[in-house]
Amino acid sequence: NGGVGKTTVSRILASRIRRFDPSASPILVESEQWRHLLQSNITLETLWDLAISSCFENAGRLLSNETALRVLVREGLFVVVFDGFDELCLNQSSSFRPKDVIGELIQLLTPEDEDGHARILLTARETYWSSVKDEIDLSRIELFKLNGFDNDQRKRYFANRLENPAERDTAFRISSQIS
């Protein structure tokens, strides 16, 4: 749910993919890239173009090239991290429907790739996912639930990351109020 760390996990995952797998390029699709365009008639292809442009200085021939995108995803060279699925589909100005978006994402992965390298990580709030999952074919989807820290975990986290006790107390107090 909100504040549990979906965007943070997405960004860290993209960063680690970039660092630890030199053959793979993470394509991070974030709401910050497309939120301002929801009033217009944007397509999933537009979202891909925005995400690819933010990852590569000279994206040129990759933009709006569905065949290239499919091959790069299918071969595991592009690892898609799609953060904000619920924000995209819930927006009143959006024409995106969950079943259609999931269907298009799954089409990037062909049946012979089920045991391959192709993966797409998609984040959504649990309450939203619960409301739409019955209309989606879940056979090729693996679900993970991201749980927020409890108080004990939060204290240990800040103890490991902040040396100053006053900063730890402030961080703990603020995080307790917002989560």
Side-chain angles (χ1 to χ4, degrees), residues 8 23 25 32 46 56 59 62 70 72 85 97 106 108 116 119-121 130 134 139 163 166 169 172-173 177 179:
T8 300
S23 67
S25 293
E32 295 303 316
T46 305
F56 302 104
L62 286 175
R70 285 180 190 280
L72 292 166
F85 168 72
R97 300 294 163 248
I106 287 175
L108 287 175
R119 300 287 181 267
I120 296 175
L121 173 77
S130 295
D134 291 338
S139 64
E163 291 181 25
D169 291 343
F172 180 74
R173 191 172 53 256
Q177 292 171 355
S179 55

Side-chain angles (χ1 to χ4, degrees), residues 53-91:
S53 294
S54 71
C55 294
F56 302 104
E57 282 184 32
N58 300 313
R61 293 191 178 136
L62 286 175
L63 299 180
S64 299
N65 187 335
E66 188 176 336
T67 303
L69 179 64
R70 285 180 190 280
V71 169
L72 292 166
V73 170
R74 189 180 318 131
E75 295 300 318
L77 299 173
F78 276 4
V79 179
V80 178
V81 180
F82 195 115
D83 184 45
F85 168 72
D86 51 339
E87 295 173 61
L88 179 67
C89 296
L90 272 175
N91 191 292

